[in-house]
Amino acid sequence: MGSPAAQHAPAAPAVPALAVPARPGRVRRYLAEHPALVDWIVVASALFLSVPLFVEYALHRFWWFGALLILQQLLLVFRRRAPWAVLAAAVAIEAALLFSSPHSSITSVSVLFALYALATAVPAAAAIPGVLAAALPAWIYYAFVYRPDGEYVPDNGRYVGLVAAASVALMYVLAAGLGMWVRGNRLHQADVRAWALRRAELASVQERNRIAREMHDVVAHSLTVMVALSDGAATVVAKDPERAQEVLGELSRTGRAALADMRRVLGVLREDAGGASRAPSPGTGSLQSLVAGFRTAGLPAVLTLLGGPLPEDASFQLAVYRIVQESLTNALRYGRGVGRADVVVAREDGRVRIHVEHDGTVPPEGARPQLGTGRGIAGMRERAAIYGGTLSAGPRPGGGWAVEATLLWAEPNGD
C-alpha cells in the first residue's frame, strides 16, 4: 500500500537565460582593482605626449613654462575626486602657456584628459557648458593671438590660426564626447546590475514562497494522517492487536515518507530546471496511492479518473497532486462524520478538472479561523492560477464540503 505522504518533489520552472555583458579581461580587471595605478598611468601618458612642448621650452630656456606644464600633468591624479577643479586648473595653465608664447602652436593633452574625466563624472547637461568654457581660451588664442612665422607660412597665415582653433575645439568635443559615451555605458551597466539584483530578489521571494507552500502541503498532510493513524491504533489496540500493529506500521511509513519528501522539497527546489525535470512526477499512479493512504487513515475516499492520464509536464502533475492532497487533508482534519469522500480528476480538451467533496459536517463559519491559517486554500488557488485556472472551495448545499478546480492545459496539435 502506498504511503499517503507526498512522494515527489516539484520540478523547478524554466528560467530564461539573461543576456549579461562578458566579463572584462584580466588586464581590465586588474586596472579596475587598482585605480591609483590608473591615475599615474594617465599622468605618465600626459607627460609623454607633452615631450614636444618640453623640448620647445628647453630650447628657449623657458624653465618656468616647463614647471607649469609638469604641475598641469600632476593635477590629473585628482581628476576623479575633483573634476571641475582639475579642469579649471588645466585650462588656466594652458591659457597662461599659450598667451605667453604667441608663436607656439603646440598644446598639452592635459585639458583633454580633464574634459574626459569631467564628462564621465557629470551629466551631459553640465559637461557641455564645461567643454565650451574650456575651449574658449584656446579658440581665442588661435583665432586672434597666434602669429605663425617661418618661410613656409603662406600670406594668408591668419587662416592657419582659424584652422588650428577649429581643430583644437574639435579635439575638446571628441574628448568630452568619449567621456559622455563611457558614462552612458557605465550607467547602463549599473541599471542592468540593479535590474538583475531586483530579479534575483524577486526569484528568491518566489522560491521561498514555493518552498513554504510545499512544506505546508507535506507537513500538514503528513501530520494529519499520522494523528489519524495514531488515534485509530489507540482505539483498536485492545480489540484487534494485529490491526493496531498494521496501523502503527503505516504510521511509521508515513513519518519516514514525510521526512524523505521534505528532503526532496528542500533539495530539488534549489536545482536547475534540467536537473529537476528528471525527478519522478506524480501521475495517476501516485494519485491512487495518495487516496489509498487516506483510506488507511480512516477517510473513505474514492478516486475517479476520467479522460486519460494527466499531461506529462511534471509541474502540472504536481499542481494536480497537491490540490487533491490538500483537499483530502482538510476533509480528514476538519470533517466530522464523513461517510464518503469523492475525488474526480477529469482531463478534458485543454483543461484538467478536479472535484473533491465529502458529505461530513463542517465547523460553522465563525469557528473556521480557529482551525487553520487559510494558507492551504490560498496555496491551492495559487497553483491553479499558475496554469490560468480557478479554484473554489466551500460548503455543499446538502452538507459537507466541496473543492472545484480547473487547470488549463494547451493540448498539442493532433493529440
Side-chain angles (χ1 to χ4, degrees), residues 207-259:
E207 183 76 356
R208 288 196 297 269
N209 289 338
R210 192 151 55 100
I211 292 175
R213 186 168 57 240
E214 295 299 329
M215 293 299 293
H216 171 274
D217 292 342
V218 172
V219 174
H221 160 71
S222 300
L223 291 180
T224 299
V225 173
M226 292 171 70
V227 169
L229 290 172
S230 300
D231 293 342
T235 302
V236 301
V237 65
K239 300 179 181 179
D240 192 348
E242 294 183 359
R243 175 60 179 167
Q245 185 176 4
E246 179 182 351
V247 173
L248 290 175
E250 184 65 24
L251 174 63
S252 178
R253 287 191 294 272
T254 300
R256 292 192 184 95
L259 288 175

Side-chain angles (χ1 to χ4, degrees), residues 62-389:
F62 294 155
W63 307 115
W64 70 275
F65 282 12
L68 282 178
L69 187 60
I70 293 176
L71 175 62
Q72 186 188 46
Q73 319 298 339
L74 293 177
L75 288 176
L76 293 175
V77 175
F78 307 100
R79 73 194 189 285
R80 301 175 191 264
R81 285 167 283 183
W84 284 107
V86 171
L87 177 62
V91 171
I93 295 176
E94 186 77 9
L97 295 175
L98 287 175
F99 284 92
S100 299
S101 179
H103 296 285
S104 177
S105 61
I106 305 176
T107 58
S108 70
V109 296
S110 297
V111 179
L112 300 179
F113 281 113
L115 279 173
Y116 170 83
L118 177 69
T120 60
V122 301
I128 292 176
V131 175
L132 297 177
L136 187 60
W139 190 87
I140 293 176
Y141 168 78
Y142 284 108
F144 301 105
V145 179
Y146 173 59
R147 297 191 301 272
D149 56 1
E151 57 179 327
Y152 299 105
V153 177
D155 296 336
N156 56 351
R158 177 62 61 187
Y159 293 102
V160 176
L162 295 177
V163 172
S167 300
V168 171
L170 180 61
M171 287 190 299
Y172 287 3
V173 170
L174 289 176
L178 178 61
M180 294 177 190
W181 178 82
V182 171
R183 173 181 169 83
N185 189 47
R186 291 174 180 173
L187 291 176
H188 173 69
Q189 291 181 355
D191 289 341
V192 170
R193 286 193 293 269
W195 172 80
L197 288 175
R198 291 194 299 269
R199 185 181 178 91
E201 291 174 358
L202 178 60
S204 177
V205 171
Q206 292 174 340
E207 183 76 356
R208 288 196 297 269
N209 289 338
R210 192 151 55 100
I211 292 175
R213 186 168 57 240
E214 295 299 329
M215 293 299 293
H216 171 274
D217 292 342
V218 172
V219 174
H221 160 71
S222 300
L223 291 180
T224 299
V225 173
M226 292 171 70
V227 169
L229 290 172
S230 300
D231 293 342
T235 302
V236 301
V237 65
K239 300 179 181 179
D240 192 348
E242 294 183 359
R243 175 60 179 167
Q245 185 176 4
E246 179 182 351
V247 173
L248 290 175
E250 184 65 24
L251 174 63
S252 178
R253 287 191 294 272
T254 300
R256 292 192 184 95
L259 288 175
D261 199 30
M262 283 191 291
R263 293 191 186 100
R264 279 191 290 269
V265 168
L266 296 176
V268 178
L269 280 175
R270 289 172 173 81
E271 295 180 1
D272 57 6
S277 63
R278 293 189 292 271
S281 57
T284 55
S286 294
L287 288 176
Q288 293 170 349
S289 299
L290 177 69
V291 174
F294 275 100
R295 284 198 298 269
T296 302
L299 182 69
V302 178
L303 173 65
T304 302
L305 300 174
L306 302 175
L310 296 175
E312 295 182 358
D313 183 84
S315 297
F316 189 92
Q317 291 184 6
L318 178 68
V320 174
Y321 185 95
R322 292 301 193 203
I323 291 175
V324 173
Q325 181 189 57
E326 179 67 23
S327 300
L328 292 178
T329 299
N330 290 339
L332 182 62
R333 181 187 297 177
Y334 305 133
R336 299 293 182 269
V338 178
R340 181 182 176 91
D342 290 310
V343 180
V344 178
V345 178
R347 179 173 178 175
E348 303 169 353
D349 293 337
R351 68 187 63 200
V352 171
R353 184 175 59 86
I354 305 168
H355 182 81
V356 182
E357 66 176 13
H358 66 83
D359 57 1
T361 59
V362 294
E365 189 73 18
R368 286 174 57 192
Q370 301 175 1
L371 296 175
T373 62
R375 287 300 306 163
I377 295 178
M380 290 193 292
R381 287 199 178 97
E382 291 174 1
R383 293 184 185 278
I386 290 175
Y387 293 95

